[in-house]
């Protein structure tokens, strides 16, 4: 298992989104309780659906284990799925927050 095909891009996606928020956008999204509630809701849906899709007993989606870390939790879900999911949802919310700030600036002027 090298993890180069799926693990490395998943980790890079998380790092890029963190850097984008903390170094560029600075929306304060990570300090907002609504963000963390949203992430809990996403996980509440992601775990059963992703668990069903990736269960090793009868997978719908099959991963080449050479390209993952091999860590699966819970319900046989590759941990990389959570990393990509977090990066995707957070990036969208950051774009939304950025648009909200721009609209507020436009309205104030």
């Amino acid at each position: 298992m090298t993890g180069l095909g799926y693990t490395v891009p998943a980790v890079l996606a998380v790092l890029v989104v963190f850097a984008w928020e903390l170094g560029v956008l600075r929306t304060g999204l990570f300090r907002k309780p609504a963000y963390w509630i949203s992430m809990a809701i996403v996980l509440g849906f992601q775990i059963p659906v992703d668990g069903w899709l990736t269960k090793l007993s009868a997978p719908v989606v099959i991963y080449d284990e050479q390209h993952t870390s091999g860590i699966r939790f819970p319900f046989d879900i590759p941990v990389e799925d959570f990393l990509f999911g977090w990066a995707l949802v957070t990036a969208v919310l950051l774009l939304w927050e950025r648009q909200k700030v721009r609209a507020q600036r436009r309205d104030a002027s």
Side-chain angles (χ1 to χ4, degrees):
M1 289 180 251
T2 64
L4 293 176
Y6 198 51
T7 306
V8 170
V11 170
L12 286 175
V14 168
L15 294 175
V16 166
V17 170
F18 261 119
W20 190 37
E21 165 58 4
L22 300 176
V24 179
L25 298 178
R26 298 181 183 178
T27 66
L29 183 67
F30 299 146
R31 293 188 303 269
K32 297 179 180 180
Y35 167 73
W36 296 104
I37 292 168
S38 299
M39 293 311 293
I41 292 168
V42 168
L43 281 176
F45 285 97
Q46 183 180 3
I47 290 171
V49 172
D50 208 353
W52 177 75
L53 289 170
T54 61
K55 64 182 177 252
L56 293 175
S57 61
V60 174
V61 178
I62 300 171
Y63 294 91
D64 184 342
E65 293 299 323
Q66 292 180 1
H67 296 288
T68 68
S69 65
I71 301 169
R72 290 176 170 256
F73 177 84
F75 307 119
D76 299 329
I77 302 170
V79 295
E80 293 86 353
D81 281 6
F82 292 107
L83 298 175
F84 271 127
W86 178 88
L88 177 65
V89 171
T90 301
V92 168
L93 292 173
L94 287 171
L95 287 171
W96 195 349
E97 287 292 312
R98 183 176 73 171
Q99 288 302 103
K100 187 170 68 173
V101 168
R102 284 183 176 175
Q104 288 170 348
R105 287 182 188 155
R106 203 172 30 245
D107 292 344
S109 54

